[in-house]
Amino acid sequence: MQVTYSHIKQVKRVAKALKDTYPSLKLGQRQDKAAIQELGVRNYHEATRRYDQWLMLHAHTSPDSDGVSKCSFCEFSFAADLKEDREAHREIHERFHEASEALSYSPAHYAQREVMKRDGRDQALCAEDLEARLEGLLLLVRGWFDRSLSKAIYGEYWRKHPSFDLYVSMIQDTLSGNYAELKAVLKIRYGYNPGEITAGDSNWYPKAR
């Protein structure tokens, strides 16, 4: 089985709770018991080994001489042979995993977002049917939304980030005049919340208190 960040967190939680039951056991021994109990592995070391494999599951190494790896899940670039880089990747990857589980949604990565924006823009401008054009515009906005959410996860303010529907109500002033008819429909269906996203920008940021 794959061992994810959530599995490791659960093992650590159980190991901590086992201190009351097994006060004489050291932390490592309690972690072994917890790993066996929760994951069915031989020990905690095996759990962390599988966890390290999971961390690298989406990492792709560049064919260039610099050998930089890029994770397609969290979009972090790092040198896999450097401990400090691997630890930095671990931190970002765990952050994305935690956010994705809590939101039941993972933002698309850069290449996917670019396709969404391109295809959405073409459909919004060229489709004959109004609903098809609106669908294209929402695909374009979804590409923006995913980029904004990705930045929020990196910046650790994703819990405050608006949902997609709320984001649509905020982003309308950034849309060009080419979408005037579609913007009118968006206002009816999603509402209109100006001033939450700077006109001309597509990223949402929490307001300074």
Side-chain angles (χ1 to χ4, degrees):
M1 66 174 289
Q2 285 185 357
V3 175
T4 69
Y5 176 51
S6 297
H7 291 128
I8 294 296
K9 281 208 311 184
Q10 176 62 13
V11 167
K12 289 181 177 179
R13 192 178 298 117
V14 171
K16 184 177 180 180
L18 287 175
K19 187 174 183 178
D20 293 335
T21 308
Y22 302 98
S24 63
L25 294 184
K26 295 180 180 179
L27 175 60
Q29 293 172 312
R30 297 200 309 273
Q31 288 176 333
D32 285 341
K33 279 187 172 292
I36 294 168
Q37 175 183 314
E38 297 298 312
L39 306 179
V41 295
R42 290 174 295 178
N43 49 42
Y44 184 67
H45 175 73
E46 182 180 347
T48 57
R49 181 179 60 79
R50 293 191 184 188
Y51 175 52
D52 287 339
Q53 291 174 344
W54 171 76
L55 281 171
M56 294 297 292
L57 192 62
H58 300 284
H60 306 280
T61 303
S62 168
D64 298 335
S65 58
D66 57 14
V68 174
S69 296
K70 180 160 186 176
C71 181
S72 61
F73 178 69
C74 66
E75 297 193 86
F76 189 76
S77 296
F78 62 104
D81 58 335
L82 296 178
K83 182 181 179 181
E84 56 268 33
D85 273 28
R86 292 197 303 272
E87 290 177 348
H89 171 234
R90 179 192 298 268
E91 180 181 348
I92 296 297
H93 200 97
E94 289 176 349
R95 197 179 300 170
F96 265 77
H97 179 75
E98 181 180 24
S100 297
E101 282 209 332
L103 299 171
S104 298
Y105 182 81
S106 296
H109 58 69
Y110 174 78
Q112 294 170 325
R113 295 195 304 264
E114 290 302 299
V115 171
M116 292 161 67
K117 290 188 290 182
R118 182 199 66 206
D119 292 352
R121 187 180 300 110
D122 289 347
Q123 184 173 331
L125 294 174
C126 300
E128 296 182 4
D129 179 73
L130 176 66
E131 287 299 324
R133 284 191 281 128
L134 186 65
E135 182 181 282
L137 183 59
L138 288 172
L139 182 60
L140 163 63
V141 172
R142 174 70 71 173
W144 288 348
F145 171 81
D146 281 5
R147 179 175 59 190
S148 179
L149 178 58
S150 182
K151 286 180 177 292
I153 295 173
Y154 264 94
E156 297 188 90
Y157 55 89
W158 59 268
R159 290 178 179 83
K160 300 178 181 178
H161 194 278
S163 66
F164 179 71
D165 286 3
L166 188 55
Y167 178 87
V168 174
S169 75
M170 297 174 175
I171 195 64
Q172 293 166 33
D173 288 341
T174 293
L175 295 168
S176 75
N178 294 329
Y179 307 111
E181 182 182 11
L182 298 177
K183 286 167 68 174
V185 178
L186 291 182
K187 285 185 179 181
I188 294 171
R189 297 188 184 181
Y190 292 88
Y192 177 52
N193 287 294
E196 296 296 326
I197 297 176
T198 303
D201 197 355
S202 59
N203 295 312
W204 178 90
Y205 299 101
K207 292 186 180 298
R209 297 295 181 185

